[in-house]
Amino acid sequence: MVCRPLRIFGTVKRPDSLHMGHLECHIKYMSENRPDRIQSLHPLVRRVLADNPSPFTYWGTQTYIVGDARGVAVIDPGPDLEPHVDAIIEAIGDTPVLALVCTHTHRDHSPATRPLQARTGAPIIGCAALALADNGPRADAAFDSDYIPDRVLADGGRIDGEGWALEAVSTPGHTSNHLCFALPQAGALFTGDHVMGWSTTVIAPPDGDMADYMASLDKLMARTDAVYYPAHGEPVEQPQRFVRGLAGHRKQREGQILRLLDQGEGLIARMVEKMYVGVDPRLHPAAGRSVLAHLIDLESRGLVTRSGDDWRKAA
Ligand SMILES: [Zn+2]
């Protein structure tokens, strides 16, 4: 199997099947091509890479430092790993920190808000806290139940710096509390895990919701951002085209599921085997959560029914 550079994900129609089927290649690619820990992407944007690579986080979580010497915001501080927190502090230097900002509260995104707040005194501003009575079987990162924001931003809420501003764009789907953040001065949108530069996102019920995710893709397609800065993977250029590809890919998956139900295949585990041929079995549980998310969406549209674990087309 040939290991391909990951830029192909900007143009392929089925990004997650490629990523999932080539896991070993990608691990090799990741180790050989890991970017520098701190990179400057724009006069107002720097990126700090955490050392938490995995099949779900790619090279690791990317924390963004937005602003200039007069003040910065830190987007997705990341996991609470001391070397990562030290690297963020080093990148910030003496610059005032206006806000510690989270797109959502998976544990690879928000726990470092706490040591950073202790060291900088900055407020935690962004997504709401999320308390779930039942997390369900986890497909990727667990939720950070210790996250306590000082200020929650609704859709359109702003964080104002000197000469720049971040504007929240509510994008539920990957999680119910997910926000993206626009930086109009750079034509950029920080997309967290909603749109990633290396793979499609995991939609894991009960909190993950396919219908919300699709609506949140539509919301991005209606925008005119020039570049996306995701929490995992490289920046996405020509992002509307990329998002159209992601939506088309999910529609393809939905069609596959309906065809399998026509053939009498009603169990998720069996559907995953047929839909994700050649995919590393370690990723089957995550694929199963996404299939479940599709089925719940189809059920809410009256197209399928379930009895126990067995799904059928509605009569
Ligand atoms: Zn996440």
Side-chain angles (χ1 to χ4, degrees):
M1 217 177 266
V2 179
C3 189
R4 302 190 225 174
L6 289 150
R7 281 218 169 270
I8 56 171
F9 293 124
T11 53
V12 290
K13 292 205 172 64
R14 304 176 59 193
D16 78 345
S17 57
L18 273 172
H19 137 60
M20 288 178 147
H22 296 248
L23 182 65
E24 274 71 28
C25 292
H26 283 291
I27 288 170
K28 184 165 174 281
Y29 181 88
M30 285 159 62
S31 59
E32 288 173 357
N33 295 277
R34 192 176 167 80
D36 293 341
R37 171 171 271 184
I38 301 178
Q39 287 196 314
S40 180
L41 304 176
H42 178 275
L44 287 173
V45 182
R46 283 172 295 158
R47 184 176 78 179
V48 184
L49 174 62
D51 191 15
N52 60 332
S54 82
F56 293 107
T57 61
Y58 192 40
W59 287 312
T61 304
Q62 297 173 139
T63 299
Y64 291 96
I65 299 174
V66 176
D68 57 24
R70 294 170 294 176
V72 295
V74 180
I75 299 180
D76 280 340
D80 185 1
L81 300 173
E82 206 175 316
H84 181 58
V85 173
D86 287 345
I88 294 169
I89 292 285
E90 182 192 320
I92 292 168
D94 296 331
T95 307
V97 180
L98 309 176
L100 303 167
V101 184
C102 291
T103 60
H104 66 299
T105 47
H106 275 149
R107 293 198 63 82
D108 57 324
H109 287 255
S110 53
T113 50
R114 294 182 283 279
L116 282 174
Q117 184 163 56
R119 290 169 72 168
T120 66
I124 297 170
I125 302 175
C127 71
L130 190 58
L132 294 176
D134 170 17
N135 269 354
R138 293 307 318 151
D140 58 346
F143 284 97
D144 172 16
S145 52
D146 297 324
Y147 169 81
I148 303 172
D150 296 295
R151 180 155 72 92
V152 173
L153 294 182
D155 190 51
R158 285 165 64 95
I159 297 165
D160 287 301
E162 297 248 7
W164 58 268
L166 288 173
E167 190 177 307
V169 181
S170 175
T171 43
H174 172 67
T175 61
S176 60
N177 63 350
H178 197 287
L179 299 175
C180 294
F181 291 93
L183 177 65
Q185 291 76 15
L189 186 73
F190 297 90
T191 52
D193 283 2
H194 176 48
V195 173
M196 301 193 286
W198 72 297
S199 162
T200 51
T201 195
V202 174
I203 310 292
D207 186 61
D209 185 297
M210 188 61 72
D212 285 351
Y213 169 70
M214 295 299 280
S216 292
L217 288 183
D218 285 344
K219 189 171 186 174
L220 294 205
M221 257 186 277
R223 297 177 52 88
T224 56
D225 308 290
V227 64
Y228 290 172
Y229 294 129
H232 308 279
E234 286 301 318
V236 177
E237 282 149 26
Q238 296 188 296
Q240 286 77 22
R241 195 172 131 200
F242 187 79
V243 171
R244 217 172 8 256
L246 292 177
H249 169 70
R250 297 291 180 168
K251 283 284 166 203
Q252 264 183 349
R253 286 290 189 215
E254 184 183 282
Q256 269 184 304
I257 289 167
L258 289 169
R259 280 195 296 282
L260 285 168
L261 291 172
D262 276 336
Q263 293 162 19
E265 203 63 86
L267 295 175
I268 288 174
R270 299 274 301 141
M271 288 189 212
V272 167
E273 278 171 26
K274 296 199 169 174
M275 290 169 67
Y276 296 82
V277 176
V279 167
D280 188 305
R282 282 176 292 175
L283 294 166
H284 279 193
R289 300 309 291 171
S290 283
V291 172
L292 174 62
H294 274 295
L295 287 165
I296 290 171
D297 177 35
L298 290 166
E299 184 183 35
S300 72
R301 288 152 56 195
L303 296 172
V304 307
T305 59
R306 86 163 107 177
S307 86
D309 289 338
D310 197 18
W311 294 82
R312 282 165 203 240
K313 283 275 275 289

